[in-house]
Amino acid sequence: MLSLYAENSHFCRLNQSKVRQIGEVQDMQLSLSIIDNNRICHGSITLMNNFDRDLDKATQELNRLKSEVKQLPEDPYLVMPSTSDSIVNINPGQLLNPKDVVGSITPVISNVDLSGIWASGNIYKGCSNSLGLFHWFETDTFSLDFSLITKSERMVKGTFAGNKWNQRDYESYMSKSIEKLKLLKKDSINIDPGNYRTYIAPAGVSDILDMFSWNCIGEASIRQGQSALIKLRDNNKLSDCFSLEEDFSSGFVPRFNSMGEIAPEVLNIIDNGILRNTLISSRTAKEYALNSNFASDGEYLRSPKMNSGDLNE
């Protein structure tokens, strides 16, 4: 089995709203897995975009795996590769020309202190195996991950990202972020311990959703007692306001995992606070006699979508 992950990106690092570093990144990682008599061995190499040299490196790595796999114990939960209809998914975007990046993103931030990094370009992933499976995915994306900083070193965190650049949308987003700095310039208020209604900004919500991939909604982590959401299996629930899906319809990430298995386009995980489904890899499905929904080996979220509420910001 072969799995390729690569990017061809332009980046720009900013500090105090000034460009400190700018350049391009080409990175290609090839992962190889070999199965022999219920034994499996994994390896990976970095490609150099030179076919002859890359083929030589890959052949050496494959020979190493062939030698090493015979020394490993059998894997009782080994999932054999399979074949299916191959999919090719290409999502072209409308990105800024690298020569226009600085002139497009810096004028609106000229009077504030911003630190962050801009990244824009093509990301692609491929997967194949010796049975003839071949999947290919590529997409164009951009993102500006930044913090706006006050003189007292309080910060407004934000991310402007997508695959179709719109200068007006960017300037509007950044202007709203700059407006939030005025709130941080107010004096802090000490409050007593208790229950309070609290607003969590989008960047904070994103960090919370990331934690759902930390041994949380994976079936294996629940079965093995590692999940913080075990009680949701006992008819406990979260707030009715909270719903979470795995949704690949945006086209930003591929539906296939490193085994080449294709996940459902949409998987309802938490519905109005109730746990409906967990992420189940084929390995976990084999271990616990379940049906797989073709999650990744680590059973982490790849394309989370949280339903929005109805409060005005």
Side-chain angles (χ1 to χ4, degrees):
M1 296 180 289
L2 299 176
S3 181
L4 173 75
Y5 179 81
E7 67 168 303
N8 185 2
S9 300
H10 170 263
F11 75 93
C12 179
R13 188 179 299 277
L14 300 111
N15 183 258
Q16 295 180 328
S17 297
K18 295 179 175 62
V19 175
R20 306 298 184 180
Q21 187 181 29
I22 196 165
E24 294 184 355
V25 173
Q26 283 187 314
D27 183 35
M28 292 175 282
Q29 301 289 329
L30 179 68
S31 299
L32 306 87
S33 300
I34 186 170
I35 296 174
D36 183 8
N37 290 324
N38 291 319
R39 298 169 171 85
I40 186 168
C41 192
H42 306 283
S44 65
I45 60 173
T46 299
L47 301 182
M48 296 180 287
N49 209 18
N50 180 304
F51 181 78
D52 292 334
R53 295 177 68 182
D54 288 336
L55 180 60
D56 183 57
K57 285 182 64 178
T59 302
Q60 292 180 31
E61 182 67 6
L62 180 60
N63 289 334
R64 184 188 70 81
L65 296 179
K66 287 179 177 179
S67 174
E68 189 172 311
V69 72
K70 300 180 184 299
Q71 306 173 43
L72 299 176
E74 292 191 14
D75 185 344
Y77 305 117
L78 175 66
V79 177
M80 295 296 293
S82 61
T83 186
S84 63
D85 291 337
S86 298
I87 60 174
V88 176
N89 189 355
I90 300 175
N91 301 302
Q94 298 174 5
L95 306 181
L96 274 174
N97 187 305
K99 296 180 180 179
D100 298 329
V101 168
V102 175
S104 297
I105 67 176
T106 56
V108 72
I109 60 173
S110 60
N111 295 322
V112 293
D113 184 354
L114 179 144
S115 292
I117 186 166
W118 162 271
S120 173
N122 183 243
I123 296 173
Y124 46 104
K125 186 172 184 178
C127 182
S128 66
N129 63 34
S130 55
L131 298 178
L133 179 75
F134 179 86
H135 294 323
W136 182 260
F137 170 88
E138 65 177 277
T139 186
D140 293 330
T141 62
F142 68 84
S143 69
L144 176 61
D145 187 16
F146 65 90
S147 294
L148 297 170
I149 307 168
T150 68
K151 291 182 179 180
S152 58
E153 296 189 342
R154 297 177 181 177
M155 285 179 277
V156 171
K157 185 81 171 66
T159 302
F160 184 74
N163 67 345
K164 294 182 179 180
W165 177 260
N166 184 296
Q167 185 69 26
R168 183 178 300 175
D169 289 347
Y170 163 71
E171 292 178 359
S172 174
Y173 182 90
M174 192 59 68
S175 295
K176 291 178 180 177
S177 297
I178 292 172
E179 279 291 312
K180 295 175 184 177
L181 284 175
K182 297 178 182 179
L183 295 175
L184 296 185
K185 292 178 181 178
K186 293 184 176 182
D187 294 334
S188 298
I189 300 173
N190 293 323
I191 59 174
D192 296 325
N195 295 322
Y196 298 90
R197 290 173 60 83
T198 304
Y199 172 75
I200 302 176
V205 175
S206 176
D207 286 343
I208 291 174
L209 289 188
D210 284 346
M211 292 193 294
F212 277 74
S213 294
W214 300 356
N215 293 328
C216 206
I217 55 173
E219 182 66 28
S221 62
I222 291 177
R223 296 267 179 166
Q224 296 165 10
Q226 298 175 330
S227 171
L229 299 182
I230 291 176
K231 291 185 178 181
L232 295 185
R233 277 279 168 84
D234 301 325
N235 296 320
N236 289 288
K237 58 181 295 187
L238 302 174
S239 166
D240 293 340
C241 301
F242 183 67
S243 295
L244 179 67
E245 297 175 333
E246 179 96 293
D247 187 349
F248 292 94
S249 62
S250 66
F252 287 134
V253 294
R255 287 172 59 190
F256 57 86
N257 59 20
S258 60
M259 291 282 293
E261 301 166 326
I262 303 174
E265 185 172 52
V266 178
L267 178 67
N268 186 6
I269 298 175
I270 296 176
D271 182 22
N272 296 328
I274 299 173
L275 182 66
R276 300 294 188 188
N277 292 287
T278 57
L279 298 177
I280 307 174
S281 67
S282 292
R283 182 179 180 86
T284 296
K286 184 174 183 178
E287 182 174 357
Y288 297 104
L290 303 169
N291 292 322
S292 174
N293 49 38
F294 307 123
S296 62
D297 286 342
E299 296 181 342
Y300 53 83
L301 288 164
R302 289 178 283 167
S303 188
K305 177 182 177 182
M306 189 184 85
N307 287 358
S308 60
D310 55 10
L311 288 176
N312 292 325
E313 185 178 9

